Amino acid sequence: MKINYNLFLFAVAVIAITSCAAPQGQAKTDEIRFKKHVLSTEYIAEGATISDVNKDGLPDVLAGTFWWQAPDWIKHELTTAEIHASINGYGNSFFGFSYDVNGDGWEDYIKVGFPGAEAFWYENPQNKEGHWIQRLVYPSVGNESPAFVDVDGDGRPDLLCNDSKNRKVVWVSPPRNKGDTAWTSYTISDDPDRATHMFTHGLGLGDINGDGRKDVIIKSGWWEAPEDRTQPNWTFHPADLGADCSQMFVLDLDGDGDNDVISASAHQYGIWWHEQVRRGDSIAFVQHEIFTEFSQSHGLTLADINGDGQPDIITGKRFWAHNGHDPGERDPAVLYWFEYKPGKQPQWIPHLVDSRSGVGVDVVARDINNDGLNDIIVANKNGVFVFEQLK
């Protein structure tokens, strides 16, 4: 489904930070509007997270070496401050996640650096002054879309990535006991030629074969999760899940009882859904186009934006990903949400949120102000932004 890109930019100029009306011939939904908060205009990180750092009941924003205290977004250092060159450089903070790692009741901060570099976690100081204590999560976190997801089904998130130095795909589990600080890694695959480069694109977790266990997916296929997820060398099933992409999400999109896949091009043009089709005992996928009007959807997530109970797509154009060398690099840094309409032929209605921010390599869509509505948080070379959904 293609929408006139210039028409959306015109709509933004008229109504500022709002979503565009549904295309002609489709039912018009209630207008979804956002208020844009600019937390920083400096290049601090390519991804952010939220957490109630100081336990005042309000989620705060964390990105790179800083956190911003809600509701006035007061900036604090959590470790030695680092600001990066936004035009011709690259930073060392690509993803941020929040989790109570040591079980002390305070959420800590996990920072994943440049692809192939270390990931660290920073211990929440419980409102004490000074920098947060830094500890290692894993020495080499590869893949450009590492995920913080529950791999083994124990209710705790794990870091899913590759180890580009040792050429294997791994998941890394947080400490199990209160007060522990060390993480434990498990090998999914030690095939050095399959998804082990530090700049590998495309990664996700979800039940592909319907056995109730979440499998690990990449653009060239999927590893079948064994009953014991700590078991090494999961069985790999080749499949065509498209070109180099960012985050991959698994869910039944067409209501036929099996799970499909959503993905988006990391550096070219295209957002797609991949329909699962059974051919005898084999599983294959048919690619369907969702949107192609902007390039570099390097950060993508799913969340219910309009409150209809359905998972919408939130993504946009990564700003200046390769310093001017990608298709459409100088086009507006847009941010969109795509309204999901389920059915045998599912549809996604595009809504433009902003044209001067874009995304990094990650997008967060969660309730930032406890009003029951999902907001959008992004960080990239343009800065750090919160898009507050208005009632």
Side-chain angles (χ1 to χ4, degrees):
M1 176 181 180
K2 287 194 175 183
I3 299 296
N4 187 306
Y5 180 65
N6 291 327
L7 179 61
F8 279 106
L9 292 185
F10 175 76
V12 169
V14 174
I15 60 175
I17 308 303
T18 68
S19 64
C20 298
Q24 186 176 0
Q26 294 174 330
K28 183 178 180 180
T29 61
D30 292 336
E31 185 180 272
I32 303 294
R33 300 181 301 120
F34 294 88
K35 179 181 179 180
K36 184 177 182 178
H37 301 268
V38 180
L39 276 57
S40 175
T41 57
E42 297 177 300
Y43 177 26
I44 289 172
E46 295 277 0
T49 188
I50 69 171
S51 172
D52 185 1
V53 171
N54 56 355
K55 284 198 172 185
D56 64 355
L58 297 174
D60 309 297
V61 174
L62 303 91
T65 56
F66 302 97
W67 69 278
W68 288 263
Q69 182 179 342
D72 299 319
W73 309 121
I74 301 169
K75 184 178 177 182
H76 303 268
E77 285 187 11
L78 61 85
T79 187
T80 303
E82 294 182 349
I83 307 294
H84 310 292
S86 61
I87 299 301
N88 294 315
Y90 293 98
N92 64 0
S93 178
F94 273 58
F95 287 81
F97 306 111
S98 57
Y99 180 67
D100 181 5
V101 176
N102 57 355
D104 64 359
W106 294 73
E107 285 205 338
D108 308 301
Y109 175 57
I110 299 157
K111 180 169 76 73
V112 178
F114 189 84
E118 304 95 337
F120 296 100
W121 72 275
Y122 297 82
E123 183 179 350
N124 189 320
Q126 303 182 16
N127 287 332
K128 299 182 180 69
E129 296 292 331
H131 285 169
W132 301 22
I133 297 173
Q134 173 185 286
R135 294 187 175 89
L136 183 69
V137 172
Y138 199 74
S140 174
V141 177
N143 192 301
E144 292 205 21
S145 298
F148 197 47
V149 289
D150 184 2
V151 174
D152 59 349
D154 68 350
R156 305 177 313 139
D158 310 291
L159 182 61
L160 176 63
C161 59
N162 74 37
D163 181 335
S164 53
K165 289 183 180 177
N166 294 298
R167 308 280 305 274
K168 57 185 180 179
V169 178
V170 300
W171 63 280
V172 189
S173 176
R176 290 193 173 275
N177 299 315
K178 184 176 180 179
D180 288 349
T181 58
W183 297 55
T184 305
S185 66
Y186 302 93
T187 300
I188 293 170
S189 170
D190 61 7
D191 182 342
D193 299 319
R194 183 171 285 136
T196 58
H197 195 278
M198 60 182 169
F199 298 131
T200 294
H201 286 79
L203 187 63
L205 182 76
D207 184 5
I208 296 296
N209 59 355
D211 65 358
R213 298 190 292 269
K214 292 184 177 181
D215 311 299
V216 173
I217 57 173
I218 56 175
K219 68 170 190 172
S220 60
W222 52 285
W223 283 281
E224 181 179 349
E227 186 172 349
D228 178 7
R229 267 54 129 232
T230 64
Q231 169 187 321
N233 295 317
W234 301 8
T235 300
F236 186 75
H237 301 269
D240 183 1
L241 284 161
D244 283 353
C245 57
S246 53
Q247 290 86 354
M248 306 174 77
F249 292 92
V250 178
L251 65 166
D252 184 2
L253 297 166
D254 53 5
D256 64 356
D258 56 38
N259 279 330
D260 312 296
V261 177
I262 288 177
S263 68
S265 178
H267 294 286
Q268 303 291 323
Y269 291 85
I271 305 169
W272 314 285
W273 76 280
H274 306 268
E275 178 186 1
Q276 182 177 157
V277 293
R278 298 291 178 109
R279 296 169 179 167
D281 294 330
S282 67
I283 294 175
F285 294 88
V286 176
Q287 179 175 298
H288 302 275
E289 181 181 290
I290 295 176
F291 201 72
T292 60
E293 298 298 329
F294 58 84
S295 63
Q296 303 182 96
S297 301
H298 212 306
L300 180 148
T301 194
L302 302 183
D304 182 5
I305 294 296
N306 59 355
D308 65 355
Q310 301 294 341
D312 306 304
I313 296 173
I314 303 95
T315 187
K317 177 183 176 58
R318 183 181 174 191
F319 178 68
W320 215 245
H322 288 152
N323 299 312
H325 301 293
D326 286 324
E329 188 79 284
R330 290 169 174 80
D331 291 343
V334 294
L335 176 66
Y336 273 81
W337 73 278
F338 294 82
E339 182 182 354
Y340 171 48
K341 296 293 186 180
K344 291 183 178 180
Q345 295 182 333
Q347 294 182 321
W348 286 265
I349 301 172
H351 299 267
L352 182 59
V353 176
D354 187 50
S355 59
R356 293 191 175 186
S357 55
V359 300
V361 295
D362 195 21
V363 181
V364 172
R366 290 168 57 190
D367 185 357
I368 193 71
N369 57 359
N370 299 328
D371 65 355
L373 303 175
N374 278 322
D375 310 294
I376 303 171
I377 302 94
V378 296
N380 56 30
K381 289 184 176 181
N382 266 326
V384 182
F385 307 94
V386 170
F387 292 88
E388 175 191 355
Q389 186 177 163
L390 303 177
K391 290 187 176 181

